[in-house]
Amino acid sequence: MVEDIELRYDPAAIEPKWQQQWAANPALYAAEPASCGKPKYYVLEMLPYPSGQLHMGHVRNYSIGDALARHMWMRGYNVLHPMGWDAFGLPAENAALKNHTPPREWTQSNIAAMKRQMLRLGLGYDWATEVTTCLPEYYRWNQWFFLRMYEKGLVYRKKSKVNWCPECATVLANEQVVDGCCWRHETTLVEQRDLVQWFFRITAYAQELLDGLEKLDGWPEKVRTMQRNWIGRSEGTEVDFFLEEQGTEKTRIRVFTTRVDTIFGATSVQLAPQHELVTRFTAADPKLKTQVDELIEQQKKAREAGDLGAIEKHGVSTGHFAVNPYNGQRVPIWVANYILADYGTGAIMSVPAHDERDFEFATKYGLDIVQVIKPVLKSEGVELPFCSEEGVLVNSGEYDGLSCEAAQKRLQEIAVRGTFGEPKVTFRLKDWGVSRQRYWGTPIPMIHCERDGLVQVPDEQLPVMLPERIEITQQGGSPLSRVPDFVNVACPKCGGPAKRETDTMDTFVDSSWYFYRYTDANNNKVPFDSAVARYWFPIDQYIGGVEHAILHLIYSRFWTKVMRDLGLIDNDEPARRLFTQGMVIKDGAKMSKSKGNAVSPDEMVGRYGADAARMYSLFAAPPDRDLDWQEDGVAGVSRFLARVWRLVTKYAPVARAARGQQMEAPTGEALKQLRKLHQTIAKITLDFEGRWHFNTCVAAIMELVNTMQAADAQLAAGEIPAPVVHELLRSLVLLLAPFAPHLAAELWEQLGETEPILRAVWPVSDPELAREDELEIPVQINGKLVTVVRVAIDAAPKAIEAAALADEKVQSRTAGKTVAKVIVVPGKLVNLVVK
Ligand SMILES: [Zn+2]
Ligand SMILES: [Zn+2]
């Protein structure tokens, strides 16, 4: 009976024991200084927002990163594996409004709760480098970066149409508008408002952000494609049409086109309804104003519905004319609902013969259609619109006969010479609007003085502290503007009365550079020591959700380039490799509180243990695919861990006694066991090096344990030499360590080891031992697979042929027939031609 109790796997006893030991020895998971001489490895999981509760998506994300970190430690690397909190943001303000808890207290108690959950999962983080973005020790550096960027012209202020979420009562970045709605409020339509806003000039890096994607071959192709599309580069020409009007002052209407070679086919100029010239026309024409307002309304509705690309095209003629600068031809000016004010110049030339959209519009409104490009070979009967660039110009005066490409170049040169246009590369990417009319964010370190205008807060006055305990209301505008103590300040330049900026920064600022701070988290002189960051960067492996592909992952690439240009770092990109894990779903939908299908990590840990929950989240699906959560599966992994526990515990005394003993050349069952072991080592090592199919790694460990258990009789009878038993159990426990760290640590101790398993050396596969001495060869009859035969790995073709012919299935199928020919491909295949 005593034995039974001893053999029971009890994660509720094992796990807290090891968690306490780990907490008492923080050096275990701590990064070492560069002087340690080991190669470095920086593994990073995206930092969570402190909502107060980890969800299974987190558990999956962190289980992947933790397995990798542990593996790299055991491979002898100096590993940096940090964790922190993306702690500014709206939910804290909403909670304050609802529960009258100050955002800071709410946030900090959530952090404490989630940290406790992380410790309960046994995640091996270096807590000495913990970063909490809502603390002044961190956000002062947001302010410092803001000022450096301001000095470099990378920060500016302008009045602009902004996306306004009435629910958030704040501005959203373009990236935060999803299908016309707020990214946080999926059913709240985003409004357009005019506000003076602060911007980061991310477009200054548009080309570099695009070019850099080519070198990021350790990033998923889908992420690179999403970023490429988001940056949206198009090459073309800006050309000025001229407004036909009285007087000498010529009003220019600048249009952007990718096909200036078709300009002689332009039969109208089309303006966005918000274009300033349209405003001028409508001021003098009430009827036109009504029509334009309607177009604006249609555009707004389409934007809200999220299908601007599919908007039903409407337009209205202004009655005014524009003059083509190349040939003086006059064309009507229209206003159209599908022209966007914030894309290109908000004006286009319409060439119906060579553009699908223009063709549709011209057909609908009866505008002229003039062909100016013809295919190179075919001259008659071309169906319009003809949109290919493989053609030559016609109906284009002196340019007739030029190829499209040559004409584009020539017409650009003429525009430059005539000062009515130039080659132009445009990007879909817009500057990053960072102003938020929120309380719970980084105060923008600028001061408005009536005498001096905009004045920077001097560095020695940083951080500009967020005032504590202010009343949160949701009446719109910046909450900080209602705190006189905060607002009123002496101008740093003239000493006179001045006012602080009351907007705070977008929280994506916080996550744009947090991973640099991890390398030197307690520095109070600079954001981080450059030498330390140079040692650790780039991040070797970044792991997170694909939903961050265009927000966080573009902003942080931008921030890295800015820091490089400030001389703080050498790397161009933050992360060498990026891995985006799949979602955790249950009952066919993404797990979420609102859908009522969320599974609590605490509950799983309570029922099955942290090791089982973690191992299941790696085992249930390849990490890049969605994982369909099944509690049965967690229970299954838990039963497997109990089997490992029984097996190792049972034979640990044998293994322990054999520590340090030399292993003789193995034969028979011992050799079979070692072969399986070394095949498993090779497979798991290879997976960690690149393929990352941890689900098959866990399956391989299960197979290995099955093989060992099948030899239980031999093990019990002492037929397998003790040094082999030692090698088998020791390696099994090492292989388990990245996936089930508590159980591995406990069994490691049982095997008589005193050093932490994390400091043990990852096992190396011996190719000689791993090599199979037999091989399975498929046997075909007339090209159809019939059976497989086992032969010695170095069997001669004659022996393979004999084995195939001796096979029962082969004999029954060839009975009474003639084997006309036997083809043997050694090591691969036998094919019998039978008549
Ligand atoms: Zn919102
Ligand atoms: Zn002043």
Side-chain angles (χ1 to χ4, degrees), residues 736-747:
L736 203 62
F739 307 105
H742 305 88
L743 177 58
E746 179 69 18
L747 295 176

Side-chain angles (χ1 to χ4, degrees), residues 55-64 545 547 581-593 595 597-601 604 613 616-618 620-631 634:
H55 54 69
M56 279 302 168
H58 291 129
V59 173
R60 191 182 194 196
N61 186 187
Y62 308 152
S63 297
I64 295 169
E547 66 273 21
Q581 87 271 3
M583 290 188 302
V584 179
I585 57 176
K586 188 163 182 287
D587 312 325
K590 184 181 177 181
M591 250 192 211
S592 79
K593 240 193 225 163
K595 292 199 186 84
N597 64 349
V599 173
S600 136
M604 288 297 115
Y616 171 74
S617 78
L618 294 175
D624 55 338
R625 306 279 179 76
D626 288 349
L627 184 163
D628 188 8
W629 191 271
Q630 306 278 354
E631 192 169 334
V634 194

Side-chain angles (χ1 to χ4, degrees), residues 273-285:
Q274 300 86 351
H275 196 280
E276 56 174 359
L277 201 54
V278 177
T279 315
R280 209 170 105 187
F281 295 156
T282 53
D285 186 345

Side-chain angles (χ1 to χ4, degrees), residues 557-594:
R557 291 183 61 220
F558 160 64
W559 208 278
T560 286
K561 291 171 196 308
V562 170
M563 293 200 309
R564 177 203 60 199
D565 291 348
L566 289 170
L568 297 175
I569 52 171
D570 291 338
N571 50 301
D572 296 319
E573 297 286 348
R576 202 191 308 274
R577 282 170 56 96
L578 170 72
F579 185 83
T580 51
Q581 87 271 3
M583 290 188 302
V584 179
I585 57 176
K586 188 163 182 287
D587 312 325
K590 184 181 177 181
M591 250 192 211
S592 79
K593 240 193 225 163
S594 58

Side-chain angles (χ1 to χ4, degrees), residues 96-317:
L97 200 65
K98 217 171 126 192
N99 316 321
H100 301 284
T101 326
R104 182 183 164 106
E105 282 167 32
W106 183 83
T107 304
Q108 285 183 327
S109 81
N110 284 351
I111 288 174
M114 288 169 80
K115 191 166 173 179
R116 186 190 52 75
Q117 286 184 299
M118 286 182 179
L119 292 170
R120 205 175 165 205
L121 283 163
L123 299 165
Y125 294 124
D126 182 358
W127 289 108
T129 66
E130 182 177 0
V131 164
T132 305
T133 61
C134 67
L135 298 180
E137 298 89 273
Y138 183 80
Y139 70 68
R140 73 176 284 187
W141 301 114
N142 288 343
Q143 296 170 341
W144 186 88
F145 279 120
F146 186 99
L147 294 171
R148 299 295 84 78
M149 285 158 77
Y150 181 73
E151 288 157 4
K152 291 198 80 154
L154 291 171
V155 168
Y156 66 94
R157 205 165 168 262
K158 74 163 188 210
K159 186 168 182 175
S160 68
K161 288 240 181 298
V162 295
N163 307 304
W164 178 270
C165 171
E167 196 75 30
C168 296
T170 190
V171 167
L172 304 176
N174 286 336
E175 290 83 345
Q176 291 163 341
V177 179
V178 180
D179 296 339
C181 292
C182 171
W183 67 310
R184 288 190 172 283
H185 301 103
E186 288 170 30
T187 56
T188 304
L189 296 175
V190 170
E191 297 169 4
Q192 302 293 302
R193 286 200 185 174
D194 271 316
L195 274 182
V196 178
Q197 299 286 294
W198 290 96
F199 288 87
F200 286 156
R201 206 181 296 279
I202 189 172
T203 53
Y205 288 87
Q207 188 64 50
E208 207 199 325
L209 286 166
L210 186 67
D211 294 342
L213 292 172
E214 300 310 313
K215 286 173 256 162
L216 287 176
D217 51 7
W219 285 38
E221 190 47 50
K222 67 180 169 200
V223 172
R224 293 155 72 188
T225 302
M226 284 164 86
Q227 292 208 355
R228 230 173 258 129
N229 294 340
W230 190 262
I231 295 167
R233 182 183 197 274
S234 55
E235 239 172 75
T237 314
E238 278 189 3
V239 178
D240 295 329
F241 280 68
F242 294 94
L243 180 64
E244 189 187 63
E245 59 191 334
Q246 305 291 333
T248 48
E249 194 70 20
K250 282 183 173 175
T251 303
R252 291 167 185 256
I253 309 170
R254 179 150 281 216
V255 304
F256 173 74
T257 174
T258 57
R259 293 293 306 275
V260 71
D261 53 313
T262 65
I263 195 161
F264 292 86
T267 57
S268 67
V269 160
Q270 304 199 345
L271 308 178
Q274 300 86 351
H275 196 280
E276 56 174 359
L277 201 54
V278 177
T279 315
R280 209 170 105 187
F281 295 156
T282 53
D285 186 345
K287 188 169 161 243
L288 183 62
K289 176 152 188 359
T290 315
Q291 291 169 315
V292 167
D293 285 348
E294 217 164 288
L295 297 175
I296 292 176
E297 192 57 28
Q298 289 157 2
Q299 197 174 79
K300 193 177 149 219
K301 282 209 178 109
R303 202 189 276 267
E304 287 167 358
D307 59 355
L308 254 170
I311 188 170
E312 196 191 327
K313 292 163 191 62
H314 292 293
V316 50
S317 173

